[in-house]
Amino acid sequence: MAKITVSKLKKMKQEGEKITSLTAYDASFSSLFEQQGIHALLVGDSMGMVLQGGSDTLAVTNQDIAYHTRCVRAGAKDTFVIADMPFMTYSNPADACHNAAELMRAGANMVKLEGGEWLYPAIESLTQQGIPVCGHLGLTPQSVHVFGGFKIQGRTNEAAEKMIHDAKALEAAGAQLLVLECIPSELAKAITEAVSIPTIGIGAGKDTDGQILVMHDLVGISAGYIPKFSKNFLLEAGSMPEAVKKYIDDVQSGQFPAPEHEFN
């Protein structure tokens, strides 16, 4: 597989080719995912739950993400690697640049920040310093205590309009990719059409430019429960390589996500 870049991802959106992505936390799995042809890997602060056993993502540190980013990059030389910026590591432009630099040095191609228009100064500063940025709207896990739990976002007209506004603001600030999590499918479609940067959905329906899943959900071993928007591909495929291959095939053919994985 040819090296994946920001330009390649944007071209895929323009040509209607679906982007496939998974979380990854170590060299063994990132190597497997690259061999099967995954386009992008996210070193997610989801590790706070699936690796560290926490009830949320808030305890994850920048050092944790940097360590796992180095591991993921060691296994995947050509795949596009996005590193999550953990809770309270980007509350101002100076902190954002300092912490993002550590993740880029660890091997990331891009950093991901959760939040809306208020992130404009941080994203603008990161972009000026040569650090590509992925935005994240909808259910933003670092704000779980504000939301009162892991709840679907953007269901009212007012909330939907604000999210579309935020998406445009993030693009204007310099973001080059956008994750949309747990929002109604119609809203995800509207956002995808409103911005020129690629959108990657998780619980956001099939009309985003690509899909991402937590790797543990893909194989049905997440602690606690399997989210509505996920699917156990290992159950059908029988092996890890085949499960990843089926996920890629189903995303690119439009079979996943199916209506039962969407929110209205």
Side-chain angles (χ1 to χ4, degrees):
M1 183 175 72
K3 196 173 189 70
I4 304 295
T5 63
V6 167
S7 299
K8 167 66 175 174
L9 295 176
K10 189 163 187 177
K11 185 179 180 184
M12 289 176 71
K13 175 185 177 91
Q14 293 167 347
E15 296 180 351
E17 182 182 354
K18 294 290 186 181
I19 298 164
T20 59
S21 184
L22 287 169
T23 64
Y25 314 95
D26 66 30
S28 297
F29 279 109
S30 65
S31 176
L32 168 66
F33 297 159
E34 180 166 273
Q35 288 168 19
Q36 296 305 313
I38 281 283
H39 299 114
L41 296 172
L42 171 66
V43 184
D45 60 2
S46 49
M47 70 176 66
M49 301 172 77
V50 297
L51 297 189
Q52 299 172 353
S55 59
D56 55 41
T57 65
L58 305 189
V60 175
T61 67
N62 213 60
Q63 290 71 36
D64 290 337
I65 298 288
Y67 170 80
H68 287 279
T69 298
R70 282 192 290 272
C71 294
V72 167
R73 178 53 76 198
K77 304 297 185 184
D78 295 322
T79 307
F80 195 78
V81 174
I82 306 163
D84 258 339
M85 295 199 69
F87 180 62
M88 290 301 292
T89 60
Y90 50 92
S91 58
N92 60 70
D95 283 351
C97 289
H98 174 78
N99 291 314
E102 181 179 15
L103 303 183
M104 296 295 288
R105 284 193 289 267
N109 298 112
M110 174 179 272
V111 297
K112 181 168 75 65
L113 288 65
E114 296 182 6
E117 187 176 19
W118 68 272
L119 284 173
Y120 198 111
I123 293 175
E124 187 176 45
S125 185
L126 287 165
T127 303
Q128 287 171 348
Q129 299 297 323
I131 298 175
V133 174
C134 175
H136 184 157
L137 293 172
L139 173 55
T140 47
Q142 291 173 20
S143 301
V144 62
H145 295 302
V146 174
F147 295 150
F150 295 95
K151 298 179 178 180
I152 312 308
Q153 302 297 308
R155 277 187 155 154
T156 68
N157 288 337
E158 182 181 5
E161 288 174 8
K162 183 180 186 307
M163 206 176 297
I164 293 170
H165 173 83
D166 282 342
K168 292 178 179 178
L170 295 181
E171 179 178 18
Q176 294 177 283
L177 200 64
L178 187 59
V179 168
L180 302 174
E181 181 171 356
C182 290
I183 64 173
S185 300
E186 287 185 7
L187 174 56
K189 184 175 188 291
I191 292 172
T192 299
E193 293 172 350
V195 296
S196 64
I197 58 177
T199 61
I200 309 293
I202 176 167
K206 67 178 183 179
D207 293 315
T208 52
D209 298 308
Q211 299 292 325
I212 185 168
L213 284 179
V214 173
M215 58 166 281
H216 297 71
D217 292 342
L218 177 91
V219 295
I221 59 170
S222 290
Y225 78 105
I226 302 298
K228 168 186 167 70
F229 54 74
S230 187
K231 178 181 176 181
N232 184 345
F233 284 87
L234 183 59
L235 205 58
E236 295 181 30
S239 72
M240 275 294 301
E242 287 301 313
V244 177
K245 183 177 185 300
K246 180 165 179 52
Y247 167 66
I248 293 171
D249 291 345
D250 284 4
V251 169
Q252 295 191 321
S253 67
Q255 294 182 65
F256 180 83
E260 63 265 27
H261 305 119
E262 300 182 4
F263 299 105
N264 298 312

